[in-house]
Amino acid sequence: MDVNAAVAAAAAIAGVLTGVIAMLAFRWSERDQARPTRTSLHTDPVLPPGVDTVLSVLRSSAVVLDEADAVVKASSAAYALGLVRGGRLSVEPMLQMARDTRRDGEIRQVELDLPRRGTGRGEALAVSARVAPLGSRLVLLLVEDLTEARRIEAVRRDFVANVSHELKTPVGALSLLSEAVMDASEDPEAVERFAGRMQIEATRLTNLVQELIDLSRVQNDDPLEDAEPVRVDELVAEAIDRCRHAAGTKQITMAAGGTADLSIWGHRGQLAAALGNLVENAVNYSPARTRVGIAARRLTAPGGDHIEIAVTDQGIGISDKDKERIFERFYRVDPARSRATGGTGLGLAIVKHVAASHGGEVTVWSSEGQGSTFTLRLPEAGAARDRAQQHPALDDEAGRPADPSHDTPPESAAYQTLSAPEVHP
């Protein structure tokens, strides 16, 4: 009996202990499930309602950080700029700003220059970063890319400085010449000489102002708003007539050739100005008793036929280092010759903008001492009209960039016109 009683008591005690252990294990499991784990902190949605939608429509790069500096949400633009790598904010100054804002709740903003990663160009990426608290535990970082805005501002400053310098030269000359006329009022020959110089400077000032107006117009206007089929033969004839006096003074023969009855779809005034600038440059930079050839032809391309207008001269040519910059505003290959011919350095910049706004390009082949060939390549009337109807808004820089370097002379009918007799429109 004693043995049986002892066994029963032991079994009862074991059952009680098993029940207690099972109950404790169940309570512990419930507490463990209710406790937030490190994984759940990052996988469960923790953004306040509506914030995710707002961030998705922002143009700025957006990054949301939690209390452990881990990225909870990041826009695709943030990844594209290289701000987020491996789930962490990779820019240390921005990370420090986020920590300071999390500590005191103050909104902070700073502009930074970040290195471009993976480009190998060493250019800085200008950004504006703004950090603000988002709720009690999160921090919102908004980053705006200012690189393009700074580039445009630099171009504007350079343009204003160049315009000021170019305007100052003829205006100052007119002021000095007017004083010289007053001092030489008793000398008719001196007055006549100074008055002639004043006319030259006044003409130069007029040309500069007009080209500034033309450049502003081609940059701001949409050439396809008033587009029409423009006959290439008429553009060539107008360009030749525009430069006939200057060419006659230097005994330069102008000859036209190539394929007839071609048309371009675009703004007639802008196209005439672009081709006129090319022919005028060819005449101004050619020696006396030489030829300038203008020829047009059709090029078949998969995306639509193009019209190619080439202007070839037998002038001084352009060096390789100058070919890379001749389409820049106010850049002159030979400043002394430009002053003598009244050049402003804006003609080729206008040509480039007109070509780009019409969906084309302008290229140059040149060899020092052998002359130059400028080629204006534009879509033919039918192809350009169809493209305009499909894409009404064309950007000024939408055309292919001008490639100023050709190792071999282009195959153009303009070369044949150099030996042809003069053609009178």
Side-chain angles (χ1 to χ4, degrees):
M1 290 293 296
D2 293 339
V3 173
N4 292 334
V7 171
I13 294 174
V16 171
L17 290 176
T18 301
V20 171
I21 292 173
M23 184 180 61
L24 291 176
F26 178 78
R27 294 281 184 89
W28 182 267
S29 176
E30 284 187 335
R31 178 188 292 182
D32 189 66
Q33 291 179 0
R35 180 186 304 161
T37 62
R38 179 173 300 182
T39 303
S40 65
L41 284 175
H42 298 288
T43 57
D44 293 343
V46 293
L47 290 178
V51 173
D52 195 4
T53 303
V54 173
L55 295 181
S56 64
V57 299
L58 288 178
R59 297 183 59 183
S60 304
S61 302
V63 181
V64 179
L65 304 177
D66 63 10
E67 66 274 13
D69 292 334
V71 175
V72 177
K73 174 71 177 179
S75 64
S76 57
Y79 287 99
L81 289 179
L83 303 179
V84 178
R85 294 179 181 275
R88 309 289 294 185
L89 186 63
S90 60
V91 182
E92 185 60 33
M94 296 182 187
L95 187 59
Q96 186 59 46
M97 287 175 56
R99 292 168 179 168
D100 295 339
T101 296
R102 186 185 300 111
R103 185 181 64 252
D104 54 27
E106 294 185 3
I107 299 176
R108 290 174 168 81
Q109 184 170 356
V110 68
E111 292 188 2
L112 300 172
D113 290 331
L114 307 178
R116 289 181 183 267
R117 299 185 179 181
T119 61
R121 294 180 296 177
E123 298 177 356
L125 186 70
V127 298
S128 174
R130 185 176 179 88
V131 181
L134 185 64
S136 59
R137 296 188 298 126
L138 304 179
V139 173
L140 173 62
L141 171 68
L142 296 178
V143 180
E144 188 77 21
D145 187 359
L146 304 179
T147 307
E148 183 65 15
R150 285 193 180 181
R151 187 191 68 81
I152 294 175
E153 179 63 21
V155 170
R156 187 193 66 81
R157 287 197 305 268
D158 292 342
F159 181 74
V160 172
N162 287 327
V163 169
S164 301
H165 175 74
E166 296 295 333
L167 289 174
K168 182 179 179 181
T169 301
V171 169
L174 287 172
S175 177
L176 293 175
L177 288 169
S178 63
E179 294 178 3
V181 169
M182 294 178 62
D183 294 338
S185 58
E186 303 297 332
D187 187 352
E189 293 183 359
V191 170
E192 183 177 358
R193 184 172 67 255
F194 291 142
R197 288 293 304 165
M198 291 179 69
Q199 287 183 340
I200 294 175
E201 295 299 333
T203 301
R204 179 178 299 173
L205 182 61
T206 301
N207 292 338
L208 175 59
V209 172
Q210 184 59 50
E211 291 204 344
L212 286 172
I213 294 173
D214 292 342
L215 181 60
S216 176
R217 187 170 297 160
V218 301
Q219 287 181 316
N220 298 327
D221 293 348
D222 183 0
L224 300 184
E225 288 184 357
D226 301 320
E228 58 179 334
V230 181
R231 290 177 56 86
V232 175
D233 294 341
E234 296 177 359
L235 294 178
V236 173
E238 186 175 337
I240 291 177
D241 188 63
R242 168 180 169 178
C243 304
R244 189 177 300 281
H245 176 72
T249 302
K250 300 173 65 175
Q251 299 181 12
I252 293 176
T253 301
M254 291 187 292
T259 306
D261 298 328
L262 300 177
S263 296
I264 300 172
W265 181 262
H267 190 285
R268 178 183 178 83
Q270 293 188 13
L271 293 172
L275 184 59
N277 286 343
L278 292 180
V279 176
E280 186 176 8
N281 275 359
V283 172
N284 289 338
Y285 286 90
S286 292
R289 294 179 293 278
T290 57
R291 288 177 177 267
V292 171
I294 308 102
R297 65 173 180 173
R298 179 186 290 108
L299 294 178
T300 302
D305 292 347
H306 283 69
I307 302 300
E308 190 178 77
I309 309 174
V311 179
T312 301
D313 62 60
Q314 297 172 318
I316 59 176
I318 305 170
S319 65
D320 291 338
K321 66 180 182 65
D322 289 324
K323 279 192 290 187
E324 299 178 357
R325 301 189 58 189
I326 55 175
F327 293 102
E328 296 179 11
R329 301 165 185 169
F330 298 107
Y331 185 79
R332 298 181 177 91
V333 174
D334 187 348
R337 181 181 289 266
S338 295
R339 285 192 295 270
T341 59
T344 62
L346 290 174
L348 291 180
I350 293 175
V351 174
K352 177 183 177 181
H353 282 291
V354 170
S357 63
H358 283 76
E361 64 174 348
V362 58
T363 58
V364 58
W365 170 89
S366 184
S367 178
E368 292 186 87
Q370 298 183 22
S372 305
T373 295
F374 285 85
T375 302
L376 189 62
R377 188 175 295 110
L378 299 166
E380 196 174 12
R385 181 172 60 250
D386 295 341
R387 177 183 174 186
Q389 293 173 352
Q390 295 175 3
H391 307 282
L394 290 180
D395 188 78
D396 183 50
E397 300 296 335
R400 290 173 293 177
D403 180 9
S405 58
H406 285 288
D407 295 331
T408 58
E411 296 179 0
S412 172
Y415 284 98
Q416 301 175 4
T417 63
L418 292 179
S419 58
E422 182 180 3
V423 176
H424 297 276

